[in-house]
Amino acid sequence: MRIVIAGGHGQIALRLERLLAARGDEVAGIIRKAEQADDLREAGAEPVVLDLESASVDEVADRLRGADAAVFAAGAGPGSGVARKDTVDKAAAVLFADAAVKAGVRRFVIVSSMGADPRHQGDEIFDVYLRAKGEADAYVRGLDALDWTILRPGQLTDDAGTGLVRLEARTGRGPIPRDDVAAVLAELVDTSATAGLTLELISGSAPVSVAVKSVAGN
């Protein structure tokens, strides 16, 4: 498969790129800064320099043409202000989804957040973040041209992955290593039977492949 990842230099994205490249997929990661390119090459991915906060739908669609799947793993990051929650966590996700539709890429996986809700109340930065992620999710759900899956991990950690997860429509809160989030994403990209599902993810007792097959109805 050819898979294009938005937010290609993110902590989850770099892990995902390594996994996909190791299994023989062709991977491209969209990054904002040219100096990040070597990290992607080291992970086995082709770096694509493009700023999703200023790019047009046509520009992004050009980078997506010929792909079998698109993964939105971009984020403004914990140090960013309110404005970038809207321009990255919401607007860039919407742009990437529209570009996937234009490029004819049906398989679309978006990394969201547990608690994301377009009706979430509050003005603190994390409130704005959850609202922006929820609005992006709602937009993607409305696109019939995409076979979308929304993944909402719990509290992200840098602990070594265990390969054991709980993946369900509702899991309740809990931690999850970024390693295991990447492993689940790699399986989801390959499992179009999960299209139309919004899934929460925390550490659990099921091997990743078993957990994904279970929610896919296999």
Side-chain angles (χ1 to χ4, degrees):
M1 294 176 74
R2 176 170 171 80
I3 299 148
V4 179
I5 302 170
H9 195 257
Q11 294 186 69
I12 290 171
L14 285 168
R15 288 167 166 85
L16 176 59
E17 286 154 7
R18 288 188 194 97
L19 291 175
L20 295 174
R23 76 181 190 191
D25 288 327
E26 184 184 335
V27 192
I30 295 176
I31 53 177
R32 280 195 310 133
K33 301 174 183 175
E35 56 265 31
Q36 297 170 334
D38 284 345
D39 290 338
L40 270 74
R41 292 190 190 99
E42 191 179 318
E46 166 201 342
V48 176
V49 181
L50 185 68
D51 187 349
L52 294 177
E53 289 179 89
S54 59
S56 69
V57 171
D58 286 337
E59 287 173 318
V60 182
D62 284 345
R63 308 309 199 280
L64 280 165
R65 281 199 179 85
D68 300 292
V71 178
F72 185 83
S80 60
V82 166
R84 294 197 72 229
K85 303 305 180 194
D86 188 63
T87 59
V88 179
D89 295 299
K90 177 187 174 183
V94 167
L95 173 73
F96 198 59
D98 284 343
V101 171
K102 187 154 197 166
V105 181
R106 286 204 65 93
R107 187 72 181 119
F108 191 91
V109 179
I110 182 168
V111 182
S112 182
S113 175
M114 198 172 286
D117 184 347
R119 296 174 300 280
H120 183 86
Q121 299 297 306
D123 300 314
E124 298 296 324
I125 286 183
F126 194 64
D127 296 321
V128 176
Y129 168 75
L130 290 177
R131 195 157 54 242
K133 294 297 278 185
E135 288 167 350
D137 293 353
Y139 185 84
V140 168
R141 285 194 191 104
L143 296 175
D144 293 336
L146 295 181
D147 294 329
W148 53 264
T149 302
I150 296 168
L151 182 66
R152 292 178 166 176
Q155 178 194 351
L156 297 170
T157 76
D158 288 324
D159 296 340
T162 65
L164 299 173
V165 301
R166 184 176 173 195
L167 179 70
E168 297 169 17
R170 292 280 182 275
T171 61
R173 296 194 175 275
I176 180 77
R178 289 178 172 87
D179 287 349
D180 290 335
V181 177
V184 169
L185 287 169
E187 289 280 338
L188 288 175
V189 162
D190 221 12
T191 312
S192 56
T194 59
L197 299 180
T198 300
L199 301 167
E200 293 184 352
L201 174 66
I202 58 174
S203 291
S205 58
V208 168
S209 59
V210 172
V212 172
K213 285 186 175 75
S214 178
V215 294
N218 299 329

